[in-house]
């Protein structure tokens, strides 16, 4: 996608799935934080004209205040999801829930359905306050335009999805732990692969239409599509017009975006209607070039491959960590600890494994984000090269696009480097705009990284 760290749209379902597996689940709502009353920006040292991304003073103040809120919510959300799992282990709430499921139902699988469904509902309720605060600020700062009713409806849909898909996946995993108590992590890894591929394949055709409306871009913006065809021809991607969609994002947000999603027969480029028509067409061409870069450079496949390889080690390490935690704390958590394998195979014990995977997810977030930033940077380079010879000045166009994007999302021009390292799955807008400003491989008759001219 072109933009925002808060909205990893093309990986939404993959993330939801990963979070299901890791028991996090919070970020699937993809709620962006929004602005609060602006703090005075007087303390900010802002070297005049030294930067490619600038905001007018009133927006700068808002962007700084909003970034602070987003960062706090991001970090608080991650930590809370860990604390929450631990808290309910330590108070024996999970083992109490398991005992209750056993009392009301006789069939083992039915107990599992009730346990994991309740698990997701409780988790969702626990994360609601932070989601609510996020949406409140998103509205207050004018990023979101989605009324509370619609927002709650989306939350409810997301919960139903997680209840159906997540419960099935956790039942399967829990069964694998019981069936192969010693090597279960390997079995879990094997079944994760097809689930992940299916999720990414189905996301654009099954999941996304539940939340947003899509139509071929050529229907509403034929002139723009004619322009995009020039980029398609230059990139040699053969992306047919019916694979380019317009998403009615304006019903929910003022933010700009575009993204690549799906694999194989469902692969497509989606442009938000807050982007096409609202910013100059040249900038949309650049954004489209960026998305084409993800397409051409196989970023989805590389991401999938990386995730699968990483999960092999994550599951292995988490199995060891979970076994240790059961041994060390299991008695206090009310788990059946005759041995760690049988404890993990119980429903409440399985939460220990989810807890371990959540810890790994938290620790590995900066690693995941570093890969993501690398891909996004590549796509930026590709996008700028893709519009060379099509727009008058690729540097100017790219810089203008980043300024429009940054302003629409109220991105902080000077984010804290540590925050950028830990939380950003795109380079900061400032970094991207500065790079674009100075990227001119055609000077002195040279050529770009991805194109011969
Ligand atoms: Zn991107």
């Amino acid at each position: 996608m072109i933009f925002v760290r808060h909205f990893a749209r093309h990986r939404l379902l993959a993330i939801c799935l990963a979070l299901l597996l890791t028991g996090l689940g919070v970020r699937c709502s993809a709620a962006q934080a929004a602005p609060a009353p602006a703090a005075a920006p007087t303390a900010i040292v802002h070297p005049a004209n030294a930067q490619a991304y600038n905001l007018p003073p009133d927006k700068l103040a808002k962007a700084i205040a909003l970034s602070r809120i987003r960062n706090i919510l991001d970090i608080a959300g991650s930590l809370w999801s860990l604390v929450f799992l631990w808290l309910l282990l330590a108070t024996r709430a999970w083992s109490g829930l398991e005992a209750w499921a056993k009392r009301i139902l006789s069939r083992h699988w039915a107990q599992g359905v009730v346990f994991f469904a309740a698990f997701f509902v409780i988790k969702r309720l626990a994360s609601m306050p932070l989601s609510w605060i996020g949406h409140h600020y998103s509205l207050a700062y004018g990023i979101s335009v989605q009324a509370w009713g619609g927002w709650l409806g989306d939350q409810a849909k997301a919960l139903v999805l997680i209840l159906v898909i997540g419960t099935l996946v956790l039942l399967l995993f829990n069964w694998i732990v019981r069936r192969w108590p010693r090597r279960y992590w390997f079995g879990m890894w094997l079944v994760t692969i097809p689930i992940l591929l299916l999720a990414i394949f189905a996301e654009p055709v099954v999941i996304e239409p539940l939340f947003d409306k899509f139509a071929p871009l050529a229907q509403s913006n034929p002139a723009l599509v004619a322009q995009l065809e020039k980029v398609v021809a230059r990139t040699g991607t053969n992306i047919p017009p019916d694979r380019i969609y317009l998403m009615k994002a304006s019903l929910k947000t003022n933010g700009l975006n575009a993204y690549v999603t799906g694999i194989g027969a469902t692969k497509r480029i989606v442009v938000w209607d807050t982007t096409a028509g609202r910013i100059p067409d040249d900038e949309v061409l650049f954004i489209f070039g960026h998305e084409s870069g993800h397409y051409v450079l196989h970023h989805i496949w590389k991401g999938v491959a990386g995730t699968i390889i990483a999960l092999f080690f994550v599951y292995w390490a988490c199995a060891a960590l979970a076994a240790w935690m059961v041994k060390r704390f299991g008695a206090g958590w009310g788990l059946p600890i005759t041995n760690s394998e049988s404890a993990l195979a119980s429903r409440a014990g399985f939460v220990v494994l989810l807890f371990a995977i959540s810890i790994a997810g938290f620790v590995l977030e900066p690693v995941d984000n570093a890969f993501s930033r690398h891909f996004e940077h590549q796509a930026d380079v590709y996008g700028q090269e893709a519009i060379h010879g099509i727009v008058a000045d690729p540097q100017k166009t790219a810089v203008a696009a980043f300024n429009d994007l940054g302003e629409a999302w109220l991105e902080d021009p000077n984010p804290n480097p540590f925050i950028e390292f830990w939380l950003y799955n795109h380079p900061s807008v400032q970094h991207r705009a500065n790079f674009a400003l100075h990227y001119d491989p055609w000077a002195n008759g040279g050529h770009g990284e991805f194109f011969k001219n």
Side-chain angles (χ1 to χ4, degrees):
M1 62 192 270
I2 185 71
F3 210 37
V4 188
R5 66 190 167 107
H6 318 284
F7 206 94
R9 189 66 203 228
H10 70 268
R11 298 189 307 162
L12 183 61
L13 193 70
I15 287 173
C16 285
L17 184 82
L19 293 175
L20 283 179
L21 306 183
T22 62
L24 288 168
V26 224
R27 286 179 295 177
C28 293
S29 61
Q32 307 106 15
T42 44
I44 301 300
V45 183
H46 200 60
N49 303 323
Q51 309 197 95
Y53 167 48
N54 290 293
L55 288 171
D58 59 321
K59 295 215 166 162
L60 176 63
K62 281 184 170 184
I64 290 167
L66 180 56
S67 291
R68 196 170 298 149
I69 295 165
R70 283 170 174 154
N71 295 339
I72 291 170
L73 286 174
D74 266 9
I75 295 164
S78 297
L79 290 176
W80 170 234
S81 66
L82 292 179
V83 170
F84 161 80
L85 284 177
W86 170 80
L87 207 62
L88 270 64
L89 279 168
T91 56
R92 301 189 174 198
W94 296 127
S95 55
L97 177 63
E98 183 177 12
W100 172 75
K102 280 181 176 163
R103 271 202 308 279
I104 62 165
L105 293 161
S106 56
R107 289 183 185 279
H108 193 256
W109 65 266
Q111 295 164 2
V113 170
V114 167
F115 180 88
F116 290 123
F119 171 83
F120 284 119
V121 171
I122 295 168
K123 270 186 59 54
R124 197 66 179 184
L125 289 176
S127 67
M128 271 308 270
L130 283 176
S131 304
W132 184 89
I133 294 169
H135 188 64
H136 164 77
Y137 282 116
S138 193
L139 285 170
Y141 280 78
I143 306 284
S144 174
V145 293
Q146 191 182 21
W148 283 99
W151 182 80
L152 277 170
D154 280 355
Q155 299 288 312
K157 278 187 239 175
L159 177 60
V160 170
L161 272 177
I162 277 194
L163 278 177
V164 175
I165 304 171
T167 302
L168 284 174
V169 170
L170 292 193
L171 273 177
L172 174 65
F173 281 20
N174 191 208
W175 176 78
I176 291 172
V177 176
R178 278 204 311 282
R179 183 73 181 71
W180 294 280
R182 287 187 180 277
R183 294 278 175 270
Y184 70 83
W185 62 270
F186 185 70
M188 270 174 42
W189 179 72
L190 282 181
V191 301
T192 297
I193 298 169
I195 294 174
L196 192 64
L197 293 176
L198 181 67
I200 297 171
F201 179 83
E203 179 178 5
V205 285
V206 179
I207 309 292
E208 290 178 6
L210 295 175
F211 295 92
D212 292 292
K213 290 193 170 34
F214 298 86
L217 183 64
Q219 261 175 28
S220 50
N221 305 58
L224 175 61
V225 172
Q227 291 278 90
L228 295 179
E229 288 300 323
K230 291 184 197 164
V231 179
V232 171
R234 177 163 159 79
T235 57
T237 43
N238 295 320
I239 302 169
D242 64 354
R243 291 282 186 110
I244 307 171
Y245 286 82
L246 182 78
M247 182 180 120
K248 284 210 162 47
S250 59
L251 300 172
K252 297 184 181 178
T253 181
N254 285 318
L256 313 184
N257 206 2
Y259 62 98
V260 180
T261 183
I263 43 177
T266 66
K267 193 167 171 181
R268 65 202 50 206
I269 290 181
V270 177
V271 182
W272 286 12
D273 69 342
T274 47
T275 309
R278 282 205 196 172
I279 58 174
D281 278 0
D282 279 2
E283 293 175 32
V284 179
L285 295 193
F286 166 65
I287 292 171
F288 182 80
H290 169 107
E291 300 308 327
S292 305
H294 288 312
Y295 210 99
V296 173
L297 304 172
H298 307 295
H299 285 164
I300 291 186
W301 281 115
K302 286 177 185 169
V304 169
T307 302
I308 289 171
I309 293 168
L311 280 179
F312 180 88
F313 296 101
V314 168
Y315 284 174
W316 170 77
C318 287
L321 175 60
W324 176 80
M325 285 197 286
V326 164
K327 213 184 262 175
R328 176 75 181 72
F329 306 106
W333 293 346
L335 304 176
I337 48 156
T338 41
N339 62 63
S340 72
E341 284 142 15
S342 66
L344 284 174
S346 72
R347 312 292 189 199
F350 187 73
V351 176
V352 178
L353 181 63
L354 296 178
F355 181 45
I357 298 176
S358 297
I359 294 171
F362 178 75
V363 173
L364 291 176
E365 187 178 351
V367 180
D368 184 29
N369 283 338
F371 279 106
S372 174
R373 286 195 302 269
H374 170 71
F375 287 155
E376 294 300 336
H377 175 68
Q378 272 197 328
D380 282 348
V381 172
Y382 189 95
Q384 205 165 329
E385 293 182 7
I387 57 172
H388 176 68
I390 296 174
V391 307
D393 185 338
Q395 283 162 276
K396 225 185 216 166
T397 301
V399 170
F402 285 128
N403 273 273
D404 283 341
L405 289 161
E407 190 170 330
W409 290 103
L410 287 174
E411 283 290 311
D412 184 353
N414 298 288
N416 177 298
F418 179 75
I419 293 285
E420 185 174 352
F421 158 76
W422 195 278
L423 297 177
Y424 279 38
N425 55 26
H426 288 61
S428 69
V429 176
Q430 190 63 265
H431 280 139
R432 300 173 78 184
N434 279 334
F435 176 84
L437 179 65
H438 298 109
Y439 188 61
D440 185 14
W442 307 280
N444 311 316
H447 65 80
E449 197 179 326
F450 302 108
F451 295 84
K452 294 270 180 285
N453 57 17

